[in-house]
Amino acid sequence: MEEKKIWNGGHKIVFRAVKRVMRGYGGLEFEKQIICPECLQKKPVSQASTFEFNQIRSVTLNGDETMRCQCGHLVDAILLTGFFDHQQKRNVSAQSKLADGEPIVPVTDLLGAVVLVGLWDEKSKKVIRAGSGFIVDKKRGLIVTASHTLMNIWGEEGSPFGEDYFGSRHGKVVIGVIPRSDDGNSLDETTTMFCYFAKIIVKDDSIETKGVCHMDACILSITTRMEEDVGSDRDGYGDQPGILL
């Protein structure tokens, strides 16, 4: 199940981390809300639509797989909640969704190209921003990711507009991958391993020429491999020595 692998490869890590922090404050009342991922790609966080967690939970328990946010975006409710045991069997064939002549590639064959992109701050010794990306050229080590993960493209206060790594002199990009399971025939659904350092090599030209961002995407180039692969549940992976490839 593709959604389950994506959930276990990244979403669940963030979800559980936030849950642990909130539980550490005794007597604190809080609500679980989920932000529409489509809104996050196009709007500032303050303007993004949110769902009540229990609302999405009810949708998935009733057998529905998708729902729309207030801005009209169609989102995968099951992926956002992790309630895979209640998913109804999908009857729509992938063949019927593609135009005639288009090649059909199973999602499971593409998951190996999905990576976790983090912005490591050497001063605070932690990842301060994180998102996903995908490998577009394995031989040349090129990755496409969302620009808003690595720079301020929304005009937020506190960091310069459009500067790489939010203007931090101590910032650098760390890349994590979903490793293969012990048998080597499938992806490990439970962890992410940080293995590489990368840098931004291409971004929207209008950021510098016009002071606006028309494309929330940038291209990264892997520069070095970490001396030791480090799991995302450990600290210090940004301090690993880099080995030139």
Side-chain angles (χ1 to χ4, degrees):
M1 186 180 298
E2 292 79 12
E3 294 99 330
K4 190 171 184 179
K5 291 180 179 179
I6 295 174
W7 171 267
N8 288 328
H11 286 3
K12 185 171 69 174
I13 296 172
V14 176
F15 187 84
R16 287 185 172 179
V18 173
K19 192 174 181 179
R20 285 196 300 268
V21 172
M22 298 305 294
R23 284 183 173 178
Y25 293 89
L28 179 65
E29 295 185 0
F30 61 91
E31 293 181 355
K32 292 181 183 179
Q33 293 185 332
I34 298 177
I35 300 177
C36 170
E38 295 295 326
C39 284
L40 283 178
Q41 296 181 37
K42 303 174 176 68
K43 301 172 177 287
V45 175
S46 60
Q47 299 178 15
S49 297
T50 60
F51 303 97
E52 295 292 338
F53 183 81
N54 289 335
Q55 177 189 9
I56 300 186
R57 183 177 185 274
S58 297
V59 168
T60 55
L61 292 178
N62 288 333
D64 296 325
E65 300 177 7
T66 58
M67 61 188 302
R68 290 190 182 275
C69 75
Q70 294 178 350
C71 295
H73 300 131
L74 189 66
V75 298
D76 189 329
I78 298 171
L79 176 59
L80 294 178
T81 59
F83 290 107
F84 302 101
D85 293 338
H86 303 282
Q87 181 182 20
Q88 291 184 331
K89 187 175 181 180
R90 297 180 176 177
N91 298 317
V92 180
S93 169
Q95 180 88 29
S96 64
K97 293 185 178 181
L98 295 175
D100 292 340
E102 285 192 47
I104 298 176
V105 180
V107 174
T108 50
D109 291 350
L110 302 176
L111 285 176
V114 176
V115 297
L116 182 65
V117 178
L119 176 56
W120 174 266
D121 182 66
E122 292 186 349
K123 188 175 181 179
S124 60
K125 301 296 181 182
K126 63 181 181 180
V127 169
I128 56 176
R129 303 266 180 162
S132 61
F134 59 91
I135 301 169
V136 293
D137 191 322
K138 183 177 181 180
K139 184 176 181 180
R140 298 169 63 188
L142 301 181
I143 296 169
V144 171
T145 189
S147 295
H148 69 257
T149 302
L150 301 173
M151 65 189 77
N152 176 13
I153 63 171
W154 306 123
E156 301 171 7
E157 296 182 359
S159 61
F161 176 81
E163 288 195 16
D164 295 352
Y165 321 125
F166 290 84
S168 172
R169 294 178 300 172
H170 307 284
K172 59 183 177 181
V173 183
V174 291
I175 304 296
V177 301
I178 304 174
R180 291 280 177 181
S181 58
D182 292 338
D183 59 18
N185 297 322
S186 61
L187 294 174
D188 188 332
E189 301 179 358
T190 60
T191 187
T192 301
M193 301 295 293
F194 282 98
C195 308
Y196 303 97
F197 293 111
K199 65 178 181 180
I200 300 171
I201 59 171
V202 178
K203 61 183 179 183
D204 186 355
D205 289 339
S206 61
I207 293 177
E208 296 182 353
T209 60
K210 300 180 179 180
V212 295
C213 180
H214 295 302
M215 183 179 296
D216 185 10
C218 62
I219 300 177
L220 309 177
S221 174
I222 292 177
T223 55
T224 55
R225 180 179 177 85
M226 294 182 186
E227 188 174 72
E228 178 183 353
D229 295 348
V230 183
S232 56
D233 57 344
R234 291 173 54 190
D235 297 325
Y237 36 86
D239 291 329
Q240 286 284 318
I243 302 174
L244 290 175
L245 298 177

mmCIF file with all atom_site columns, all heavy atoms in Angstrom, residues 85-103:
data_model
loop_
_atom_site.group_PDB
_atom_site.id
_atom_site.type_symbol
_atom_site.label_atom_id
_atom_site.label_alt_id
_atom_site.label_comp_id
_atom_site.label_asym_id
_atom_site.label_entity_id
_atom_site.label_seq_id
_atom_site.pdbx_PDB_ins_code
_atom_site.Cartn_x
_atom_site.Cartn_y
_atom_site.Cartn_z
_atom_site.occupancy
_atom_site.B_iso_or_equiv
_atom_site.pdbx_formal_charge
_atom_site.auth_seq_id
_atom_site.auth_comp_id
_atom_site.auth_asym_id
_atom_site.auth_atom_id
_atom_site.pdbx_PDB_model_num
ATOM 1   N N   . ASP A 1 85  ? -6.165  0.585  7.953   1.00 0.00 ? 85  ASP A N   1
ATOM 2   C CA  . ASP A 1 85  ? -6.928  -0.647 8.162   1.00 0.00 ? 85  ASP A CA  1
ATOM 3   C C   . ASP A 1 85  ? -8.380  -0.501 7.740   1.00 0.00 ? 85  ASP A C   1
ATOM 4   O O   . ASP A 1 85  ? -9.073  -1.494 7.547   1.00 0.00 ? 85  ASP A O   1
ATOM 5   C CB  . ASP A 1 85  ? -6.867  -1.057 9.637   1.00 0.00 ? 85  ASP A CB  1
ATOM 6   C CG  . ASP A 1 85  ? -5.471  -1.460 10.056  1.00 0.00 ? 85  ASP A CG  1
ATOM 7   O OD1 . ASP A 1 85  ? -4.684  -1.814 9.157   1.00 0.00 ? 85  ASP A OD1 1
ATOM 8   O OD2 . ASP A 1 85  ? -5.164  -1.406 11.258  1.00 0.00 ? 85  ASP A OD2 1
ATOM 9   N N   . HIS A 1 86  ? -8.850  0.747  7.593   1.00 0.00 ? 86  HIS A N   1
ATOM 10  C CA  . HIS A 1 86  ? -10.247 0.967  7.261   1.00 0.00 ? 86  HIS A CA  1
ATOM 11  C C   . HIS A 1 86  ? -10.429 1.386  5.804   1.00 0.00 ? 86  HIS A C   1
ATOM 12  O O   . HIS A 1 86  ? -11.505 1.799  5.401   1.00 0.00 ? 86  HIS A O   1
ATOM 13  C CB  . HIS A 1 86  ? -10.837 2.044  8.181   1.00 0.00 ? 86  HIS A CB  1
ATOM 14  C CG  . HIS A 1 86  ? -10.708 1.716  9.634   1.00 0.00 ? 86  HIS A CG  1
ATOM 15  N ND1 . HIS A 1 86  ? -11.538 0.830  10.269  1.00 0.00 ? 86  HIS A ND1 1
ATOM 16  C CD2 . HIS A 1 86  ? -9.824  2.121  10.563  1.00 0.00 ? 86  HIS A CD2 1
ATOM 17  C CE1 . HIS A 1 86  ? -11.192 0.728  11.542  1.00 0.00 ? 86  HIS A CE1 1
ATOM 18  N NE2 . HIS A 1 86  ? -10.148 1.503  11.743  1.00 0.00 ? 86  HIS A NE2 1
ATOM 19  N N   . GLN A 1 87  ? -9.365  1.278  5.055   1.00 0.00 ? 87  GLN A N   1
ATOM 20  C CA  . GLN A 1 87  ? -9.438  1.690  3.653   1.00 0.00 ? 87  GLN A CA  1
ATOM 21  C C   . GLN A 1 87  ? -10.222 0.677  2.841   1.00 0.00 ? 87  GLN A C   1
ATOM 22  O O   . GLN A 1 87  ? -9.990  -0.526 2.936   1.00 0.00 ? 87  GLN A O   1
ATOM 23  C CB  . GLN A 1 87  ? -8.029  1.826  3.067   1.00 0.00 ? 87  GLN A CB  1
ATOM 24  C CG  . GLN A 1 87  ? -8.031  2.274  1.598   1.00 0.00 ? 87  GLN A CG  1
ATOM 25  C CD  . GLN A 1 87  ? -6.627  2.349  1.047   1.00 0.00 ? 87  GLN A CD  1
ATOM 26  O OE1 . GLN A 1 87  ? -5.725  1.747  1.601   1.00 0.00 ? 87  GLN A OE1 1
ATOM 27  N NE2 . GLN A 1 87  ? -6.454  3.065  -0.026  1.00 0.00 ? 87  GLN A NE2 1
ATOM 28  N N   . GLN A 1 88  ? -11.162 1.159  2.030   1.00 0.00 ? 88  GLN A N   1
ATOM 29  C CA  . GLN A 1 88  ? -11.893 0.274  1.147   1.00 0.00 ? 88  GLN A CA  1
ATOM 30  C C   . GLN A 1 88  ? -11.019 -0.097 -0.033  1.00 0.00 ? 88  GLN A C   1
ATOM 31  O O   . GLN A 1 88  ? -10.135 0.647  -0.435  1.00 0.00 ? 88  GLN A O   1
ATOM 32  C CB  . GLN A 1 88  ? -13.164 0.956  0.638   1.00 0.00 ? 88  GLN A CB  1
ATOM 33  C CG  . GLN A 1 88  ? -14.232 1.164  1.704   1.00 0.00 ? 88  GLN A CG  1
ATOM 34  C CD  . GLN A 1 88  ? -15.482 1.745  1.096   1.00 0.00 ? 88  GLN A CD  1
ATOM 35  O OE1 . GLN A 1 88  ? -15.430 2.453  0.107   1.00 0.00 ? 88  GLN A OE1 1
ATOM 36  N NE2 . GLN A 1 88  ? -16.603 1.426  1.693   1.00 0.00 ? 88  GLN A NE2 1
ATOM 37  N N   . LYS A 1 89  ? -11.305 -1.240 -0.586  1.00 0.00 ? 89  LYS A N   1
ATOM 38  C CA  . LYS A 1 89  ? -10.534 -1.710 -1.736  1.00 0.00 ? 89  LYS A CA  1
ATOM 39  C C   . LYS A 1 89  ? -10.793 -0.800 -2.930  1.00 0.00 ? 89  LYS A C   1
ATOM 40  O O   . LYS A 1 89  ? -11.932 -0.473 -3.240  1.00 0.00 ? 89  LYS A O   1
ATOM 41  C CB  . LYS A 1 89  ? -10.945 -3.141 -2.083  1.00 0.00 ? 89  LYS A CB  1
ATOM 42  C CG  . LYS A 1 89  ? -10.083 -3.756 -3.163  1.00 0.00 ? 89  LYS A CG  1
ATOM 43  C CD  . LYS A 1 89  ? -10.464 -5.202 -3.383  1.00 0.00 ? 89  LYS A CD  1
ATOM 44  C CE  . LYS A 1 89  ? -9.575  -5.819 -4.446  1.00 0.00 ? 89  LYS A CE  1
ATOM 45  N NZ  . LYS A 1 89  ? -9.929  -7.234 -4.676  1.00 0.00 ? 89  LYS A NZ  1
ATOM 46  N N   . ARG A 1 90  ? -9.757  -0.367 -3.533  1.00 0.00 ? 90  ARG A N   1
ATOM 47  C CA  . ARG A 1 90  ? -9.915  0.533  -4.669  1.00 0.00 ? 90  ARG A CA  1
ATOM 48  C C   . ARG A 1 90  ? -10.241 -0.263 -5.927  1.00 0.00 ? 90  ARG A C   1
ATOM 49  O O   . ARG A 1 90  ? -9.543  -1.208 -6.274  1.00 0.00 ? 90  ARG A O   1
ATOM 50  C CB  . ARG A 1 90  ? -8.643  1.346  -4.881  1.00 0.00 ? 90  ARG A CB  1
ATOM 51  C CG  . ARG A 1 90  ? -8.350  2.248  -3.693  1.00 0.00 ? 90  ARG A CG  1
ATOM 52  C CD  . ARG A 1 90  ? -7.112  3.052  -3.888  1.00 0.00 ? 90  ARG A CD  1
ATOM 53  N NE  . ARG A 1 90  ? -6.920  3.966  -2.762  1.00 0.00 ? 90  ARG A NE  1
ATOM 54  C CZ  . ARG A 1 90  ? -5.878  4.758  -2.647  1.00 0.00 ? 90  ARG A CZ  1
ATOM 55  N NH1 . ARG A 1 90  ? -4.938  4.765  -3.535  1.00 0.00 ? 90  ARG A NH1 1
ATOM 56  N NH2 . ARG A 1 90  ? -5.773  5.557  -1.594  1.00 0.00 ? 90  ARG A NH2 1
ATOM 57  N N   . ASN A 1 91  ? -11.307 0.178  -6.605  1.00 0.00 ? 91  ASN A N   1
ATOM 58  C CA  . ASN A 1 91  ? -11.778 -0.554 -7.775  1.00 0.00 ? 91  ASN A CA  1
ATOM 59  C C   . ASN A 1 91  ? -11.446 0.144  -9.090  1.00 0.00 ? 91  ASN A C   1
ATOM 60  O O   . ASN A 1 91  ? -11.644 -0.417 -10.158 1.00 0.00 ? 91  ASN A O   1
ATOM 61  C CB  . ASN A 1 91  ? -13.307 -0.732 -7.698  1.00 0.00 ? 91  ASN A CB  1
ATOM 62  C CG  . ASN A 1 91  ? -13.714 -1.549 -6.490  1.00 0.00 ? 91  ASN A CG  1
ATOM 63  O OD1 . ASN A 1 91  ? -13.091 -2.556 -6.188  1.00 0.00 ? 91  ASN A OD1 1
ATOM 64  N ND2 . ASN A 1 91  ? -14.758 -1.113 -5.793  1.00 0.00 ? 91  ASN A ND2 1
ATOM 65  N N   . VAL A 1 92  ? -10.982 1.393  -8.985  1.00 0.00 ? 92  VAL A N   1
ATOM 66  C CA  . VAL A 1 92  ? -10.703 2.129  -10.209 1.00 0.00 ? 92  VAL A CA  1
ATOM 67  C C   . VAL A 1 92  ? -9.353  1.716  -10.764 1.00 0.00 ? 92  VAL A C   1
ATOM 68  O O   . VAL A 1 92  ? -8.353  1.786  -10.078 1.00 0.00 ? 92  VAL A O   1
ATOM 69  C CB  . VAL A 1 92  ? -10.711 3.645  -9.941  1.00 0.00 ? 92  VAL A CB  1
ATOM 70  C CG1 . VAL A 1 92  ? -10.416 4.409  -11.225 1.00 0.00 ? 92  VAL A CG1 1
ATOM 71  C CG2 . VAL A 1 92  ? -12.064 4.056  -9.373  1.00 0.00 ? 92  VAL A CG2 1
ATOM 72  N N   . SER A 1 93  ? -9.313  1.286  -11.964 1.00 0.00 ? 93  SER A N   1
ATOM 73  C CA  . SER A 1 93  ? -8.068  0.834  -12.591 1.00 0.00 ? 93  SER A CA  1
ATOM 74  C C   . SER A 1 93  ? -7.214  2.019  -12.986 1.00 0.00 ? 93  SER A C   1
ATOM 75  O O   . SER A 1 93  ? -7.700  3.031  -13.482 1.00 0.00 ? 93  SER A O   1
ATOM 76  C CB  . SER A 1 93  ? -8.386  -0.005 -13.833 1.00 0.00 ? 93  SER A CB  1
ATOM 77  O OG  . SER A 1 93  ? -7.224  -0.239 -14.590 1.00 0.00 ? 93  SER A OG  1
ATOM 78  N N   . ALA A 1 94  ? -5.905  1.906  -12.739 1.00 0.00 ? 94  ALA A N   1
ATOM 79  C CA  . ALA A 1 94  ? -4.994  2.976  -13.141 1.00 0.00 ? 94  ALA A CA  1
ATOM 80  C C   . ALA A 1 94  ? -4.989  3.146  -14.657 1.00 0.00 ? 94  ALA A C   1
ATOM 81  O O   . ALA A 1 94  ? -4.746  4.228  -15.173 1.00 0.00 ? 94  ALA A O   1
ATOM 82  C CB  . ALA A 1 94  ? -3.584  2.668  -12.641 1.00 0.00 ? 94  ALA A CB  1
ATOM 83  N N   . GLN A 1 95  ? -5.287  2.052  -15.358 1.00 0.00 ? 95  GLN A N   1
ATOM 84  C CA  . GLN A 1 95  ? -5.302  2.112  -16.809 1.00 0.00 ? 95  GLN A CA  1
ATOM 85  C C   . GLN A 1 95  ? -6.340  3.098  -17.312 1.00 0.00 ? 95  GLN A C   1
ATOM 86  O O   . GLN A 1 95  ? -6.122  3.821  -18.282 1.00 0.00 ? 95  GLN A O   1
ATOM 87  C CB  . GLN A 1 95  ? -5.618  0.714  -17.369 1.00 0.00 ? 95  GLN A CB  1
ATOM 88  C CG  . GLN A 1 95  ? -5.665  0.633  -18.885 1.00 0.00 ? 95  GLN A CG  1
ATOM 89  C CD  . GLN A 1 95  ? -4.324  0.362  -19.488 1.00 0.00 ? 95  GLN A CD  1
ATOM 90  O OE1 . GLN A 1 95  ? -3.483  -0.270 -18.867 1.00 0.00 ? 95  GLN A OE1 1
ATOM 91  N NE2 . GLN A 1 95  ? -4.117  0.827  -20.692 1.00 0.00 ? 95  GLN A NE2 1
ATOM 92  N N   . SER A 1 96  ? -7.510  3.150  -16.649 1.00 0.00 ? 96  SER A N   1
ATOM 93  C CA  . SER A 1 96  ? -8.598  4.010  -17.107 1.00 0.00 ? 96  SER A CA  1
ATOM 94  C C   . SER A 1 96  ? -8.319  5.473  -16.843 1.00 0.00 ? 96  SER A C   1
ATOM 95  O O   . SER A 1 96  ? -8.975  6.346  -17.417 1.00 0.00 ? 96  SER A O   1
ATOM 96  C CB  . SER A 1 96  ? -9.904  3.611  -16.413 1.00 0.00 ? 96  SER A CB  1
ATOM 97  O OG  . SER A 1 96  ? -9.814  3.841  -15.019 1.00 0.00 ? 96  SER A OG  1
ATOM 98  N N   . LYS A 1 97  ? -7.368  5.786  -15.966 1.00 0.00 ? 97  LYS A N   1
ATOM 99  C CA  . LYS A 1 97  ? -7.083  7.170  -15.625 1.00 0.00 ? 97  LYS A CA  1
ATOM 100 C C   . LYS A 1 97  ? -6.049  7.796  -16.546 1.00 0.00 ? 97  LYS A C   1
ATOM 101 O O   . LYS A 1 97  ? -5.831  8.991  -16.512 1.00 0.00 ? 97  LYS A O   1
ATOM 102 C CB  . LYS A 1 97  ? -6.580  7.262  -14.176 1.00 0.00 ? 97  LYS A CB  1
ATOM 103 C CG  . LYS A 1 97  ? -7.638  6.901  -13.150 1.00 0.00 ? 97  LYS A CG  1
ATOM 104 C CD  . LYS A 1 97  ? -7.105  7.126  -11.756 1.00 0.00 ? 97  LYS A CD  1
ATOM 105 C CE  . LYS A 1 97  ? -8.160  6.821  -10.709 1.00 0.00 ? 97  LYS A CE  1
ATOM 106 N NZ  . LYS A 1 97  ? -7.666  7.053  -9.344  1.00 0.00 ? 97  LYS A NZ  1
ATOM 107 N N   . LEU A 1 98  ? -5.385  6.990  -17.332 1.00 0.00 ? 98  LEU A N   1
ATOM 108 C CA  . LEU A 1 98  ? -4.329  7.506  -18.197 1.00 0.00 ? 98  LEU A CA  1
ATOM 109 C C   . LEU A 1 98  ? -4.798  7.561  -19.643 1.00 0.00 ? 98  LEU A C   1
ATOM 110 O O   . LEU A 1 98  ? -5.616  6.757  -20.086 1.00 0.00 ? 98  LEU A O   1
ATOM 111 C CB  . LEU A 1 98  ? -3.089  6.602  -18.093 1.00 0.00 ? 98  LEU A CB  1
ATOM 112 C CG  . LEU A 1 98  ? -2.406  6.570  -16.712 1.00 0.00 ? 98  LEU A CG  1
ATOM 113 C CD1 . LEU A 1 98  ? -1.281  5.555  -16.736 1.00 0.00 ? 98  LEU A CD1 1
ATOM 114 C CD2 . LEU A 1 98  ? -1.874  7.940  -16.347 1.00 0.00 ? 98  LEU A CD2 1
ATOM 115 N N   . ALA A 1 99  ? -4.287  8.527  -20.355 1.00 0.00 ? 99  ALA A N   1
ATOM 116 C CA  . ALA A 1 99  ? -4.630  8.625  -21.766 1.00 0.00 ? 99  ALA A CA  1
ATOM 117 C C   . ALA A 1 99  ? -4.031  7.465  -22.530 1.00 0.00 ? 99  ALA A C   1
ATOM 118 O O   . ALA A 1 99  ? -3.056  6.845  -22.116 1.00 0.00 ? 99  ALA A O   1
ATOM 119 C CB  . ALA A 1 99  ? -4.102  9.958  -22.324 1.00 0.00 ? 99  ALA A CB  1
ATOM 120 N N   . ASP A 1 100 ? -4.646  7.160  -23.666 1.00 0.00 ? 100 ASP A N   1
ATOM 121 C CA  . ASP A 1 100 ? -4.160  6.042  -24.483 1.00 0.00 ? 100 ASP A CA  1
ATOM 122 C C   . ASP A 1 100 ? -2.717  6.274  -24.885 1.00 0.00 ? 100 ASP A C   1
ATOM 123 O O   . ASP A 1 100 ? -2.336  7.361  -25.309 1.00 0.00 ? 100 ASP A O   1
ATOM 124 C CB  . ASP A 1 100 ? -5.018  5.911  -25.742 1.00 0.00 ? 100 ASP A CB  1
ATOM 125 C CG  . ASP A 1 100 ? -6.430  5.466  -25.415 1.00 0.00 ? 100 ASP A CG  1
ATOM 126 O OD1 . ASP A 1 100 ? -6.625  4.901  -24.316 1.00 0.00 ? 100 ASP A OD1 1
ATOM 127 O OD2 . ASP A 1 100 ? -7.312  5.691  -26.254 1.00 0.00 ? 100 ASP A OD2 1
ATOM 128 N N   . GLY A 1 101 ? -1.928  5.229  -24.748 1.00 0.00 ? 101 GLY A N   1
ATOM 129 C CA  . GLY A 1 101 ? -0.532  5.304  -25.151 1.00 0.00 ? 101 GLY A CA  1
ATOM 130 C C   . GLY A 1 101 ? 0.416   5.720  -24.060 1.00 0.00 ? 101 GLY A C   1
ATOM 131 O O   . GLY A 1 101 ? 1.622   5.586  -24.219 1.00 0.00 ? 101 GLY A O   1
ATOM 132 N N   . GLU A 1 102 ? -0.070  6.270  -22.943 1.00 0.00 ? 102 GLU A N   1
ATOM 133 C CA  . GLU A 1 102 ? 0.817   6.678  -21.859 1.00 0.00 ? 102 GLU A CA  1
ATOM 134 C C   . GLU A 1 102 ? 1.320   5.447  -21.112 1.00 0.00 ? 102 GLU A C   1
ATOM 135 O O   . GLU A 1 102 ? 0.560   4.539  -20.819 1.00 0.00 ? 102 GLU A O   1
ATOM 136 C CB  . GLU A 1 102 ? 0.100   7.603  -20.884 1.00 0.00 ? 102 GLU A CB  1
ATOM 137 C CG  . GLU A 1 102 ? -0.096  9.001  -21.418 1.00 0.00 ? 102 GLU A CG  1
ATOM 138 C CD  . GLU A 1 102 ? -0.532  9.946  -20.313 1.00 0.00 ? 102 GLU A CD  1
ATOM 139 O OE1 . GLU A 1 102 ? 0.091   9.902  -19.234 1.00 0.00 ? 102 GLU A OE1 1
ATOM 140 O OE2 . GLU A 1 102 ? -1.482  10.705 -20.516 1.00 0.00 ? 102 GLU A OE2 1
ATOM 141 N N   . PRO A 1 103 ? 2.599   5.407  -20.768 1.00 0.00 ? 103 PRO A N   1
ATOM 142 C CA  . PRO A 1 103 ? 3.122   4.260  -20.020 1.00 0.00 ? 103 PRO A CA  1
ATOM 143 C C   . PRO A 1 103 ? 2.579   4.250  -18.599 1.00 0.00 ? 103 PRO A C   1
ATOM 144 O O   . PRO A 1 103 ? 2.388   5.289  -17.992 1.00 0.00 ? 103 PRO A O   1
ATOM 145 C CB  . PRO A 1 103 ? 4.638   4.486  -20.033 1.00 0.00 ? 103 PRO A CB  1
ATOM 146 C CG  . PRO A 1 103 ? 4.782   5.963  -20.193 1.00 0.00 ? 103 PRO A CG  1
ATOM 147 C CD  . PRO A 1 103 ? 3.637   6.406  -21.071 1.00 0.00 ? 103 PRO A CD  1
#
